[in-house]
Amino acid sequence: MSLKICKKCKRPFMAHKEFCSHCPAPYTWNQESWANVGCLLAMILPLFLMIFFWLFLFFGFLFR
């Protein structure tokens, strides 16, 4: 039976486990999550809205 010491809480836990059972598991990036798509849209959509605003404003004055 081999033990490891947790770096966060300094408690011993079994060596065959990857994480300490007393501490919450660290967050891992899930590339298949739909939240990533929402985050990407939240970043790109305002940029497109700003570009289209100035584009329509500029062309509105030219083709009046």
Side-chain angles (χ1 to χ4, degrees):
M1 177 171 79
S2 59
L3 298 174
K4 287 188 200 176
I5 302 294
C6 179
K7 294 177 183 176
K8 292 181 184 176
C9 65
K10 307 295 184 205
R11 289 180 175 176
F13 66 99
M14 299 299 286
H16 64 83
K17 292 186 179 178
E18 189 175 353
F19 303 111
C20 174
S21 60
H22 302 288
C23 298
Y27 178 75
T28 55
W29 177 259
N30 183 5
Q31 64 186 3
E32 297 176 358
S33 173
W34 281 101
N36 299 333
V37 176
C39 202
L40 184 66
L41 286 177
M43 289 189 312
I44 293 176
L45 193 60
L47 180 66
F48 280 131
L49 290 176
M50 286 191 311
I51 290 171
F52 285 130
F53 171 75
W54 291 110
L55 190 70
F56 287 131
L57 187 71
F58 178 70
F59 283 121
F61 282 122
L62 286 180
F63 296 112
R64 239 170 62 157

